Amino acid sequence: MKTVTSLPDDVIYEGTIFVGTYKRKMLGLASPAFAYFLTPVELNIEAVIFVCLFYLYVLLLSKVSKILWRFDRLTWTKLFGSLIFGLLAVTFLRFFDINHWLIHEVGYIPDGEVKQYFAAISFVPLVAAYFDSFKNVELAFYRSKGYDYRGWLGDYFGGL
């Protein structure tokens, strides 16, 4: 791996496209868990298997996961560990009657269903890891191309 302070234009372009795609898709990965596991209807086993296979793909086979696992395991652990934590919390909330717990154990009577609020809180670590990972994802992409880049990186929050 070459340590460089400037990169070829084609690698910069590919890196920009890669990080842009990552920025658009990563937070959208939590939406199937919100949409399906928190609905008040009975769970369909085929849909549960489909959602589980989707998250296995995201964790094990996606390009971002492979690049981060090989070139930046700390970022992979923060990002996908927080995704797993959020998914486990949402799955737990699916089977735990939180309103009953709030009424009988805490003494608070909620105005309606509060499961969605607790589920949103469980994805806060994922959002924090997401915003913290832009630079590391770009640097890991450059390492995957054989460059150990030691220069200035662009505006991460522009065009979010």
Side-chain angles (χ1 to χ4, degrees):
M1 187 174 313
K2 297 185 287 187
T3 301
V4 296
T5 56
S6 65
L7 294 166
D9 289 337
D10 60 331
V11 174
I12 292 172
Y13 179 73
E14 288 177 32
T16 304
I17 296 294
F18 182 76
V19 172
T21 303
Y22 165 77
K23 287 165 74 172
R24 283 189 308 276
K25 289 184 178 179
M26 191 60 204
L27 282 182
L29 297 177
S31 62
F34 261 29
Y36 187 69
F37 285 124
L38 290 179
T39 56
V41 298
E42 186 176 327
L43 292 177
N44 184 355
I45 190 66
E46 291 87 11
V48 170
I49 291 171
F50 177 73
V51 170
C52 291
L53 288 175
F54 170 73
Y55 283 114
L56 282 175
Y57 163 77
V58 168
L59 290 171
L60 303 176
L61 301 175
S62 68
K63 188 173 182 179
V64 170
S65 179
K66 288 179 181 178
I67 287 175
L68 286 178
W69 180 256
R70 184 155 181 227
F71 297 102
D72 193 353
R73 288 196 179 161
L74 179 62
T75 301
W76 187 94
T77 305
K78 287 192 299 187
L79 194 61
F80 292 105
S82 60
L83 177 63
I84 292 169
F85 170 75
L87 291 173
L88 290 175
V90 167
T91 305
F92 172 75
L93 290 172
R94 173 70 184 171
F95 298 108
F96 181 70
D97 186 7
I98 199 159
N99 283 348
H100 181 269
W101 175 76
L102 284 172
I103 292 169
H104 295 288
E105 297 295 326
V106 179
Y108 173 73
I109 300 173
D111 288 335
E113 187 66 43
V114 294
K115 201 179 288 190
Q116 290 81 4
Y117 302 117
F118 283 92
I121 290 169
S122 68
F123 280 100
V124 168
L126 175 62
V127 173
Y130 167 76
F131 284 114
D132 188 42
S133 67
F134 295 155
K135 175 183 173 186
N136 295 333
V137 167
E138 188 172 359
L139 290 174
F141 177 79
Y142 294 146
R143 282 190 213 106
S144 74
K145 296 295 184 182
Y147 298 101
D148 188 16
Y149 182 62
R150 303 285 180 188
W152 183 78
L153 296 173
D155 179 20
Y156 298 112
F157 297 104
L160 185 72

